[in-house]
Each structure stands twice: as C-alpha cells, then as structure tokens.
Amino acid sequence: MADNVASRERQYVGFWMRVFASIIDTLILVVVIGVIAVGVYGVQYVRLSSEGKTVMFDLLVQGLLPALAVIVFWRYRGATPGKMLISAKIVDAETFGTPSTGKLVGRYFAYIVSMVPIFLGFLWIAFDKRKQGWHDKLAGTVVIYGEDD
C-alpha cells in the first residue's frame, strides 16, 4: 500500500484554498481567545487592553497559545482545522512524509519572512509550481491534498 501512495501524483493546495483555510483558523482562534479573555477579564477586556493592563495575558494568550496550538496541530494532525476542512496536509517537500518537529517550528517562525514584505511570501503560493510559500521553501515543506490516515 505504501508503494501505491508513494507512486501517486501529488496535488498541491493552491493559494485561494489556503487563504480559505487560514480564514477558518483565524476565526477559530478569535473565538477561543475571546472566550478566554472574557473569562479572565470579563466584558471590560477591550478597555483594559487599550489601557495596557493586559500585556502579559496578551503575550501568552494571543502570542504563545496560537503558536503552540498551530505547531501541535501540524505535528499530530498534519494540518490546522482549516486545512483539515479542505483535506490538506503539510508534508516534507522531499519525502512527502511527516515533517520533523524542528521543520514545523521553523515553518511557523518562517511565516515572519513571508509576511514582512507586504505578504509577498504568501502571495508566492499563487505562482510557484509546487504552491510553496516562502515559509514552505525555508522549512522544506509542501501542502498537498491527502486522505485521512
């Protein structure tokens, strides 16, 4: 069975489907973070945040929590919920197997490289033959359509 899987043509996930998956992931994060923020600070969270009284919370819940969640989803599910919704998986660009945790951590932080020059690294997905963004190229990953294991 493994030979059959390895011999199949890979279908890379394109720009607009990845944008859709990203929107789904963002909506999920906004809801989760909002629920946590209201649970901790109540409805005055927005006011307290604008006054700079929630800095540590914001760093942990809006910075660390999403990074950890994304990397854990990538590692154990091969995708975030948005990518799972469209049956997409992040795989090693050479082997099409599961990327190492180090590659996935690198891929997450390589998002910065894709974002900084007006999101050109993400737009690159639309023009690349393997639909790789700059973060994919730096991490050695591709996003493909795949069946659930």
Side-chain angles (χ1 to χ4, degrees):
M1 174 109 174
D3 290 333
N4 187 23
V5 171
S7 65
R8 270 187 292 162
E9 182 76 22
R10 305 292 180 200
Q11 186 178 5
Y12 301 108
V13 180
F15 177 78
W16 289 112
M17 289 305 289
R18 288 174 70 173
V19 167
F20 174 74
S22 180
I23 290 169
I24 298 301
D25 291 335
T26 300
L27 291 174
I28 292 168
L29 277 172
V30 165
V31 169
V32 169
I33 290 168
V35 167
I36 294 170
V38 170
V40 172
Y41 291 99
V43 293
Q44 65 269 19
Y45 169 73
V46 173
R47 180 182 54 79
L48 292 171
S49 182
S50 69
E51 294 171 358
K53 296 179 180 176
T54 62
V55 174
M56 186 56 75
F57 173 87
D58 292 342
L59 287 173
L60 290 174
V61 176
Q62 293 183 36
L64 186 61
L65 178 68
L68 186 60
V70 165
I71 293 167
V72 167
F73 266 104
W74 287 349
R75 178 69 184 101
Y76 294 102
R77 299 295 305 215
T80 55
K83 282 187 178 62
M84 287 189 281
L85 185 67
I86 63 169
S87 299
K89 280 184 106 166
I90 299 165
V91 296
D92 185 279
E94 297 300 317
T95 67
F96 293 99
T98 302
S100 69
T101 302
K103 276 191 174 192
L104 295 173
V105 170
R107 184 180 192 272
Y108 186 84
F109 288 103
Y111 273 179
I112 297 166
V113 175
S114 288
M115 278 191 279
V116 169
I118 59 172
F119 292 87
L120 286 178
F122 291 109
L123 187 59
W124 191 261
I125 295 165
F127 303 102
D128 189 81
K129 67 179 180 166
R130 295 180 80 190
K131 307 300 181 196
Q132 288 177 293
W134 294 350
H135 53 285
D136 291 309
K137 290 185 178 296
L138 288 167
T141 59
V142 290
V143 179
I144 61 170
Y145 289 105
E147 303 79 37
D148 292 334
D149 295 328

